[in-house]
Amino acid sequence: MARNKFDIDENLESPFDIKHFRRALVYIKKQKTPMIVAFVLSALSAGIALSAPLIMQHVVDVTIPAKEAWPLVGWSALMLATIVVSVILATIRSRIMTRVGQDIIFDIRTDLFKHLQELPFQYYDDRPQGKILIRVVNYVNSVSDVLSNGIINFILEILNLLFIGAFMFAVDAKLSLVILAGLPVFFAVMMLLKTRQRRAWQAVSNKSSNLNAYMQESISGIRVTQIFTREERNAGIFTRLATNYRREWMKTMYLNFLIPFSVDNLTTLVTTAIYFVGLLAMGPAEVTFGVILAMSSYAARFWQPILNLSNLYNSFINAVAYLERIFETLDEPVTVSDVPNARELPPIQGRITFDDVTFAYDPGHNVLEHLNIDVKAGESIALVGPTGAGKTTVVNLISRFYNVTGGRILIDGHDIAEAKLKSLRSQMGIMLQDSFIFSGTIMDNIRYGRLDATDEEVVAAAKIVCADEFIREFENGYMTEVNERGSKLSQGQRQLISFARTLLANPRILILDEATSSIDARTERLLQKGLNELLKGRTSFIIAHRLSTVKNCDRILYVADKGIAEAGSHDELMARRGRYYHLYTAQKMEA
């Protein structure tokens, strides 16, 4: 559980290898056609641009000495044409690759989101939401350019080097060797920096993730922060995290800038060496000034692709750190899913059996042990007991939000582990204590779990749970826009809307987890009348700390000591004078 903190770096479960990049090629292959077109345009643009030094050499060595005015104008016009055509082709290519990059982002982000929708509750229990969000948004953005432009540019720069090398050797072989003499030094620098760069980018990724997680947590808890006047303390925490990020970023940039710094200096040294060898060692008899001028131009052009390749390498090292995170998320196992040959759960009556069920969130720390419960169809069951005893765990296992560690759970004799999840959960209505409201209208929120419901059915569900009255008090009624988490609504209003959403699904099994905890006593009494009608013929599980709300349930199960400590009706348990009796009596005295 240490991973579930904003100030803990997430170490990678597995090191990066070439398999990650091969997996990335799946997204690239979808864009094969536009990328080929872009590559052809890039090659044409580069080839046309490489003819400029040859034109310049001819003008310096032939046209100018011959004092030919009109040929000089013609050659100048031709050089201008090469520049214009090269720029036009590069612009078209840039537009194509912009679209390709966005399509790759869309595909990766969609796959990530779909996978996150299927991951079990345990995954979200183990890490802050901010560290999940940054992978879907920031990391995907960071890798898109490398997976689109990066690959084309890499191939193109290699071809550029080959073309430039061919042009250089065609002009002068000896001066070409002078230009190539700097390559061993460059490769030595790259080898020294390679490992350090990858580690540096991983550190940046960690600090960025931590910072994002704390920002998300702080925004979600801003009301609590202001209630307890924690603004100054929280600002200090943020400053520390931001400082850590800044420090790692600066270290990484220092390493990154070493490569272009090395290339720039090598280019200067090689250009100087060309003039030295050409003018002093070889002399005018062997080489003309036009040749030296052309070769110095090719030297700059030769080292520019190398600088570009080094920048691409930096981008690739950066992208590798993010790809590791992205594929780590995509590789996160969906532990709660349809098993092979899973069957559709037929329309259920609602009999539920816990057969020797054991469950642990963390291995070796059982929450429930050898639990046996048999609930008849249509029976109402109350789960009571101390906080942390496992009441919510019981209903989460019925919904199969977690897999049991041992034993099995049956519904109408069908093992839910072998049933398709959709066919199971579509027949259940679950009202959680945390009433989450989505951004949109109140109508949309109630209809969230049953999109085919009519407006009349939505209103009917709201009336049953006593939400209709306060909804109609809003200026736009059911079409009132609410913010994420329902910030414009009271907590009780949010719970009633969530109640209506659950009831609209018309479930065969109804689970109410502290469903009335934020509703005032008057509303609860009104709501209870509707619930009594709704619970008829449905199997229901009700978790409540206020025992007055569960007195009328068919059976009350007191959950404690990793199992069921007591079971019976309200009258039976009161007559037994056990744990339930003492808990109920204590609440009556407090009231």
Side-chain angles (χ1 to χ4, degrees), residues 9 21 30 40 61 72 84 136 188 195 235 298 321 371 481 483 583:
D9 291 344
F21 197 70
K30 295 180 181 179
V40 171
D61 287 343
L72 179 60
V84 171
V136 180
T195 302
Y298 278 128
L371 182 64
E481 292 281 342
N483 298 332
L583 182 64

Side-chain angles (χ1 to χ4, degrees), residues 1 151 193 224 301 306 355 440 450 520 530 550 567-568:
M1 295 299 291
I151 292 178
L193 296 178
V224 178
R301 290 172 181 266
I306 292 178
D355 182 12
R450 187 183 156 201
D520 61 79
V550 299

Side-chain angles (χ1 to χ4, degrees), residues 54 57 165-173 175-176 290-292 294-295 298:
L54 290 178
Q57 177 197 349
F167 276 90
M168 286 192 315
F169 278 93
V171 174
D172 192 283
L175 293 181
S176 298
V291 169
I292 293 176
M295 291 303 292
Y298 278 128

Side-chain angles (χ1 to χ4, degrees), residues 27-37:
Y27 298 100
I28 297 169
K29 288 179 180 177
K30 295 180 181 179
Q31 309 298 327
K32 181 172 61 176
T33 300
M35 288 181 75
I36 290 174
V37 173

Side-chain angles (χ1 to χ4, degrees), residues 46-253:
I48 292 171
L50 283 174
S51 64
L54 290 178
I55 295 173
M56 182 173 59
Q57 177 197 349
H58 181 81
V59 169
V60 171
D61 287 343
V62 179
T63 307
I64 293 178
K67 298 180 180 179
E68 298 173 343
W70 285 110
L72 179 60
V73 173
W75 287 113
S76 299
L78 181 59
M79 179 170 282
L80 178 62
T82 62
I83 295 172
V84 171
V85 172
S86 180
V87 168
I88 291 174
L89 294 177
T91 301
I92 297 173
R93 177 257 194 191
S94 178
R95 291 185 176 182
I96 292 173
M97 291 312 300
T98 297
R99 180 178 293 277
V100 168
Q102 287 303 308
D103 287 344
I104 290 175
I105 286 178
F106 175 83
D107 290 339
I108 297 177
R109 190 167 287 154
T110 300
D111 286 350
L112 268 174
F113 184 77
K114 287 180 179 178
H115 189 66
L116 287 170
Q117 296 290 293
E118 297 174 354
L119 289 177
F121 285 3
Q122 190 74 50
Y123 177 80
Y124 298 95
D125 293 341
D126 287 350
R127 51 189 49 78
Q129 295 177 12
K131 292 193 176 186
I132 300 172
L133 290 174
I134 198 171
R135 299 186 181 205
V136 180
V137 181
N138 301 52
Y139 291 177
V140 174
N141 286 341
S142 297
V143 303
S144 66
D145 193 57
V146 173
L147 297 182
S148 54
N149 280 308
I151 292 178
I152 287 184
N153 287 339
F154 178 80
I155 298 172
L156 186 63
E157 298 300 350
I158 294 294
L159 290 177
N160 271 344
L161 283 175
L162 294 177
F163 288 152
I164 293 170
F167 276 90
M168 286 192 315
F169 278 93
V171 174
D172 192 283
K174 292 180 180 180
L175 293 181
S176 298
L177 294 175
V178 174
I179 295 174
L180 296 178
L183 284 177
V185 179
F186 172 75
F187 287 130
V189 172
M190 290 291 291
M191 293 304 294
L192 287 172
L193 296 178
K194 182 178 72 170
T195 302
R196 294 177 63 190
Q197 281 183 306
R198 178 170 180 262
R199 289 174 180 171
W201 277 114
Q202 285 181 343
V204 169
S205 172
N206 280 330
K207 302 310 178 187
S208 175
S209 179
N210 293 347
L211 184 63
N212 193 74
Y214 186 67
M215 288 176 63
Q216 193 277 334
E217 180 181 293
S218 298
I219 292 170
S220 298
I222 191 64
R223 288 178 174 81
V224 178
T225 295
Q226 294 184 4
I227 288 170
F228 290 96
T229 63
R230 281 264 309 197
E231 295 91 340
E232 189 173 337
R233 177 70 180 273
N234 289 2
I237 296 173
F238 179 84
T239 299
R240 173 169 58 85
L241 294 172
T243 300
N244 290 340
Y245 174 76
R246 177 181 178 276
R247 183 179 63 249
E248 296 300 337
W249 176 264
M250 294 303 294
K251 286 181 182 178
T252 304
M253 289 301 100

Side-chain angles (χ1 to χ4, degrees), residues 245-312:
Y245 174 76
R246 177 181 178 276
R247 183 179 63 249
E248 296 300 337
W249 176 264
M250 294 303 294
K251 286 181 182 178
T252 304
M253 289 301 100
Y254 172 76
L255 291 172
N256 277 7
F257 289 145
L258 284 177
I259 292 179
F261 173 79
S262 301
V263 171
D264 286 341
N265 282 280
L266 284 172
T267 303
T268 301
L269 290 173
V270 167
T271 303
T272 303
I274 288 173
Y275 283 98
F276 177 81
V277 173
L279 295 176
L280 300 179
M282 297 173 65
E286 289 191 48
V287 60
T288 65
F289 182 71
V291 169
I292 293 176
L293 199 60
M295 291 303 292
S296 64
S297 177
Y298 278 128
R301 290 172 181 266
F302 178 80
W303 283 96
Q304 186 59 47
I306 292 178
L307 177 59
N308 292 341
L309 286 171
S310 66
N311 290 332
L312 285 171

